[in-house]
Amino acid sequence: MRPRKRRRTRLDPSPSNRQSERSSVVNFVCLSLKQEESRMSSTKTVLVTGGAGFIGYHVVNRLLKEGHKVVCLDSFHSGQQRNLTEFANNPNFVLVQQDVIQPYLPTEYKFDQIYHLACPASPPHYQIDPIHTLKTNFIGSLNMLELARRDGARVLLSSTSEVYGDPDKAHHPQEESYRGNVSCTGPRACYDEGKRVSETLFWDHWRMYKTNICMVRLFNTYGPNMRADDGRVVSNFICQALRGESLTVYGEGSQTRSFGYVSDTVEGIFRLMNCADENFRGPVNLGNPTERTVKEFAEQIIAAVDPSLKIIHKDLPVDDPLQRKPNISLAKEKLGWEPVVPLAEGIRLTVEYFRRIVEEEKAAAKK
C-alpha cells in the first residue's frame, strides 16, 4: 500500500489573492513606520532661552528627564552657571552662551519647541540695565519668533502678572481679560511694559505669519534654584532668616501676594506648550489663588526657621503693587491645571535649598 501523501496547504495563486497579500505586507510596513515615527516624534529638539535661570533650570531638567534634546541659550546676565552643572555630561544637553538679543538662527538644529524664558525677573536685576531689559523683551522675543517661524516650532512666552500693574479692587483677583494699571514712566516700567510689548509682539507675529505662539502669565513663583541675591520677597526672607538677620518688610506688609511653588508652575507651562488644542494660545494665568499679606508670609518664614527673629520695616518701593492674586479659571478649564503643593511644603523645600547656599557662603568667607 502506497503511503498517503501529506497534503500541503498552498496559497491561492490568483491575482486577487496575491494583491491581498501585498496589501497586507504594505499595511504592516506602513503601520510599523507610523509607530516608529510616533515614537521618534515624542523625542523633540527644544530650545530654552534663559535656561540657567530659576524657572529655566526646572524646565531644562524636566525636558532632559523626558529624553528630549535640549539647547540652552543663556548669557548668564542673571542666570547661574551652578544651575547647569548637573547637565554638563548629559549628551542631550547643549549650552550656547549668547545673549538672546543677538540673532540666533542655527543651521545644525531644527527646533520643535521654544521656551522663551530669558529676562531678569526681579527688580534689583532688571533695573541694573533697564535698556537691556527692554531689548531683551522686544529684540529677544523677535529673534525667538523668527526662529519659530523658520522651524515651524511652537514658541511659549513666559510673561508675568506684572502686566496687570497695580490692579484696583474691581479687578481683584486678576483675570486674563484685565488690561492692567501700569506706569510706563516708573522704575519698574522696563520690565512691566517690556513684558506687555513682548505679548503684543507675539500676537502680531501670529496675526501676520501664523507663528505657533502661546503664553503664560506667572505669579510669584518660588522654590529651589532661585538666586540668593534675587531680591524678591521669598529669597530675601529665607536668606535673612538663615543668616540670623531681621526680616525686611517694605511698607506695613499689608500688600498681598500669591505664592506658587515652581513644580506647579512648570507643570502649567508644559501643559500649555503640549496642549492638545494648539489653537489655545493663552494668555493664561499660572499662580496660587491663595492670597497672603507679605507680613503674614514673613511670620511664616520666621516660624519655619527661627522664631526668635524680628521684622523691621522700610519704605515701600515706587510702583510696588499692593495686591496680587490670580484668577485661574481659564487654566483649570483649558489645561486641567491648578497648584497642588501646599505653601508649608514649598517653604520647607526652599529653606532646605537655601540652607545649603548660605552654608557655602559661610564656608567661603572663612577661607
Side-chain angles (χ1 to χ4, degrees):
M1 188 177 194
R2 297 178 65 182
R4 212 171 163 184
K5 291 184 178 179
R6 182 175 294 175
R7 187 175 180 180
R8 294 182 181 178
T9 303
R10 300 183 63 186
L11 295 174
D12 182 355
S14 64
S16 62
N17 194 67
R18 288 199 299 272
Q19 180 65 34
S20 177
E21 288 179 55
R22 285 195 294 269
S23 297
S24 297
V25 172
V26 170
N27 288 340
F28 174 77
V29 171
C30 287
L31 179 60
S32 298
L33 287 172
K34 286 179 180 177
Q35 289 173 337
E36 180 64 12
E37 286 173 3
S38 177
R39 185 188 71 79
M40 293 299 291
S41 66
S42 65
T43 302
K44 298 179 175 66
T45 301
V46 183
L47 175 65
V48 181
T49 71
F54 162 44
I55 295 175
Y57 160 81
H58 291 277
V59 169
V60 169
N61 190 38
R62 176 161 169 173
L63 286 166
L64 290 172
K65 285 182 177 179
E66 292 181 357
H68 302 298
K69 174 83 171 182
V70 179
V71 177
C72 168
L73 186 72
D74 206 301
S75 66
F76 299 108
H77 182 77
S78 59
Q80 302 182 96
Q81 290 185 336
R82 67 183 299 152
N83 282 345
L84 303 179
T85 304
E86 66 185 88
F87 309 136
N89 296 321
N90 191 318
N92 286 330
F93 177 75
V94 176
L95 170 63
V96 177
Q97 188 169 343
Q98 178 181 314
D99 198 311
V100 73
I101 69 175
Q102 301 301 321
Y104 183 65
L105 291 168
T107 56
E108 64 270 35
Y109 305 115
K110 183 177 184 295
F111 295 108
D112 300 296
Q113 296 179 341
I114 300 171
Y115 292 81
H116 181 34
L117 312 177
C119 186
S122 70
H125 291 283
Y126 65 64
Q127 290 173 352
I128 289 174
D129 188 345
I131 303 301
H132 186 271
T133 300
L134 285 164
K135 286 182 176 180
T136 299
N137 280 304
F138 186 83
I139 300 172
S141 293
L142 183 58
N143 286 338
M144 291 305 104
L145 286 163
E146 290 298 319
L147 179 57
R149 181 187 175 199
R150 185 199 74 172
D151 289 357
R154 185 164 169 89
V155 55
L156 178 143
L157 171 66
S158 175
S159 189
T160 172
S161 60
E162 298 304 313
V163 300
Y164 300 125
D166 189 15
D168 56 32
K169 291 182 179 179
H171 297 95
H172 189 72
Q174 294 80 59
E175 59 183 34
E176 291 84 356
S177 61
Y178 177 49
R179 296 187 178 183
N181 176 32
V182 181
S183 167
C184 63
T185 59
R188 300 171 65 102
C190 61
Y191 182 70
D192 300 1
E193 296 287 18
K195 285 296 185 180
R196 286 165 71 93
V197 79
S198 290
E199 291 195 14
T200 301
L201 189 58
F202 263 62
W203 281 110
D204 282 337
H205 221 273
W206 173 77
R207 277 187 279 265
M208 289 190 69
Y209 307 116
K210 298 305 175 188
T211 308
N212 190 358
I213 67 162
C214 58
M215 63 186 69
V216 293
R217 291 174 178 165
L218 306 183
F219 283 69
N220 296 101
T221 304
Y222 73 99
N225 297 89
M226 297 179 79
R227 291 179 62 125
D229 62 350
D230 179 78
R232 284 176 286 189
V233 64
V234 176
S235 53
N236 280 356
F237 285 173
I238 292 177
C239 289
Q240 285 178 326
L242 290 171
R243 292 169 184 145
E245 303 169 358
S246 297
L247 275 61
T248 304
V249 170
Y250 294 96
E252 296 179 0
S254 58
Q255 63 271 37
T256 65
R257 298 291 183 267
S258 302
F259 299 101
Y261 190 66
V262 65
S263 62
D264 285 332
T265 297
V266 170
E267 177 64 26
I269 288 172
F270 273 67
R271 289 196 186 193
L272 178 59
M273 175 63 91
N274 300 289
C275 186
D277 179 9
E278 279 207 345
N279 291 318
F280 177 59
R281 309 185 184 283
V284 58
N285 290 337
L286 296 180
N288 195 316
T290 303
E291 187 179 16
R292 288 175 173 80
T293 68
V294 169
K295 186 177 179 182
E296 288 171 344
F297 185 69
E299 290 168 346
Q300 194 160 354
I301 297 298
I302 288 172
V305 178
D306 182 353
S308 68
L309 296 174
K310 305 297 181 183
I311 292 174
I312 60 174
H313 294 267
K314 292 187 177 181
D315 292 341
L316 195 66
V318 176
D319 294 334
D320 194 43
L322 297 181
Q323 51 188 1
R324 182 72 80 231
K325 177 182 177 180
N327 181 323
I328 61 169
S329 299
L330 188 63
K332 287 181 178 179
E333 175 192 348
K334 295 292 188 179
L335 306 177
W337 178 90
E338 60 183 321
V340 297
V341 178
L343 182 61
E345 176 65 7
I347 288 175
R348 184 186 68 79
L349 293 169
T350 308
V351 167
E352 284 181 5
Y353 171 78
F354 277 118
R355 194 182 299 278
R356 294 194 298 272
I357 301 300
V358 171
E359 287 173 357
E360 288 175 11
E361 289 176 355
K362 291 177 180 178
K366 291 178 181 178
K367 291 182 180 179

